[in-house]
Amino acid sequence: MLRVAIALAALGWVYWPTLRELFDTWMTHPEYSHGPLVPVFALFLLYKRNSTAPASPPRPWPIVGYTALVFAIALRFVGSATSFLPLEGLSLILCLGALAALAGGRAALVRFWPPLVFLLFMLPLPYEASRLLGGQLQTIGTIATTYLLQCFGQPAIAEGNRILIGSVTLNVVEACSGLRMLVTFIAFATAAVFMMDRHWLVKGLVLASAVPIALLTNILRITATGLAHVWMHDGDDKTRLLEFIHDFNGWMMMPVGLLFLMLELWLFKHLLIERNAASVQRSTVNQQKTTKRQRFVSVIQMPMSR
């Protein structure tokens, strides 16, 4: 335990500039405002897995551990020399994985990989990736919102990243691209998957639906804002009310996205009927008694998760 504490303290000292820069990114960039919650949930997930995992003697895996450690140090030097924060953060996560391999070997990596993977959500996207993705999201939001406004009977026309609704011009700016919602909601969906004790197909469908749900909530937000511009009558308080509606719609994106996620899980519960895997094993192997953690299998004979 003392060795682990010394190793973590040394790691914190080496990566202190990186941690400080990550914290500044979380505080100044809205799309990464969920960053402070990522390490907290990773620690909770680690505690949960430690409490449920069977006790086993540590068997260090030095070859994998030292190889990963050397690779992580190399990434650290490259990231520091190029001032590339995502690479520096990735090297920190690899160092943690290397320490797990050196301390507990394969069993430790199996136990620790979900928290380590979830730590990736605390890293910012590279600038070019963020810029290109944001531009694509703006285009998708503009086109989809224009179509939805037309479904509401509005004479909407898309012109670049602008939507013309009669005499009203609605600008889909970079802040309205939905990148913040996309990054944050994927993190929430991944956290939900790690907490589930469900079939692997259900987990995969939840992860796959994170992107469509994030896009849909942003499209609904832009559409609601556009309809407010059209339906509200001119008056002294119109500008102030429109600003409030715009901000309120932004605040409601995450609750609406989580509502869609809950609805999806409810549908999966009724469409993919699951039963205890122990009952399935009992019908084929009557002589053996399973002592493993309960798993689930669908009655439509999907392969059991292992």
Side-chain angles (χ1 to χ4, degrees), residues 66-85:
Y66 285 119
T67 302
L69 189 60
V70 171
F71 185 65
I73 293 174
L75 287 182
R76 165 67 172 165
F77 280 124
V78 174
S80 179
T82 58
S83 299
F84 193 47
L85 182 59

Side-chain angles (χ1 to χ4, degrees), residues 41-297:
F41 181 79
L43 288 174
F44 170 75
L45 191 60
L46 180 61
Y47 169 78
K48 184 174 182 295
R49 292 180 68 84
N50 281 338
S51 61
T52 57
S56 58
R59 296 179 180 177
W61 208 353
I63 297 179
V64 174
Y66 285 119
T67 302
L69 189 60
V70 171
F71 185 65
I73 293 174
L75 287 182
R76 165 67 172 165
F77 280 124
V78 174
S80 179
T82 58
S83 299
F84 193 47
L85 182 59
L87 199 59
E88 294 184 59
L90 180 60
S91 69
L92 171 60
I93 298 174
L94 286 177
C95 277
L96 292 173
L99 292 178
L102 291 173
R106 182 187 182 91
L109 288 178
V110 170
R111 187 180 303 177
F112 294 161
W113 76 262
L116 292 176
V117 168
F118 192 74
L119 285 177
L120 292 173
F121 289 106
M122 72 179 184
L123 306 181
L125 293 173
Y127 173 75
E128 283 298 320
S130 178
R131 185 180 64 84
L132 293 175
L133 182 58
Q136 293 296 322
L137 292 175
Q138 280 180 270
T139 302
I140 294 174
T142 302
I143 296 174
T145 301
T146 302
Y147 175 77
L148 195 56
L149 287 170
Q150 291 173 353
C151 292
F152 279 98
Q154 300 297 326
I157 300 175
E159 188 179 89
N161 289 329
R162 298 188 306 169
I163 303 176
L164 307 179
I165 317 171
S167 60
V168 175
T169 300
L170 190 65
N171 294 311
V172 183
V173 297
E174 184 179 356
C176 298
S177 64
L179 180 61
R180 175 184 178 184
M181 176 64 183
L182 180 65
V183 174
T184 305
F185 194 76
I186 291 178
F188 270 95
T190 305
V193 166
F194 282 145
M195 295 298 293
M196 289 180 186
D197 190 11
R198 301 290 298 274
H199 194 274
W200 62 266
L201 178 59
V202 177
K203 296 181 179 181
L205 289 174
V206 170
L207 281 179
S209 66
V211 174
I213 289 177
L215 294 177
L216 177 60
T217 53
N218 188 54
I219 292 167
L220 292 176
R221 170 200 179 185
I222 302 173
T223 302
T225 303
L227 291 175
H229 278 79
V230 174
W231 289 344
M232 286 190 63
H233 299 289
D234 294 332
D236 297 335
D237 296 333
K238 182 177 180 179
T239 302
R240 184 163 52 86
L241 288 175
L242 287 176
E243 290 178 355
F244 172 77
I245 292 174
H246 178 272
D247 294 340
F248 179 78
N249 290 339
W251 298 332
M252 289 301 296
M253 287 181 67
M254 184 55 66
V256 171
L258 293 177
L259 182 62
F260 280 135
L261 182 60
M262 293 174 59
L263 177 61
E264 178 187 22
L265 292 175
W266 181 83
L267 289 174
F268 289 159
K269 182 179 179 181
H270 290 79
L271 293 178
L272 301 177
I273 305 174
E274 297 173 334
R275 54 180 172 171
N276 197 314
S279 63
V280 179
Q281 294 178 349
R282 197 178 301 115
S283 63
T284 56
V285 186
N286 295 324
Q287 295 83 4
Q288 297 180 356
K289 293 183 179 180
T290 178
T291 59
K292 296 182 179 180
R293 180 174 59 89
Q294 291 184 348
R295 299 183 184 273
F296 296 90
V297 63

Side-chain angles (χ1 to χ4, degrees), residues 12-29 32-33 35-36 76 78-92 122-127:
W13 179 77
V14 171
Y15 282 93
W16 177 251
T18 301
L19 295 172
R20 185 175 57 187
E21 193 171 351
L22 282 173
F23 184 79
D24 292 339
T25 302
W26 300 339
M27 295 297 102
T28 56
H29 293 73
Y32 304 114
S33 58
R76 165 67 172 165
V78 174
S80 179
T82 58
S83 299
F84 193 47
L85 182 59
L87 199 59
E88 294 184 59
L90 180 60
S91 69
L92 171 60
M122 72 179 184
L123 306 181
L125 293 173
Y127 173 75

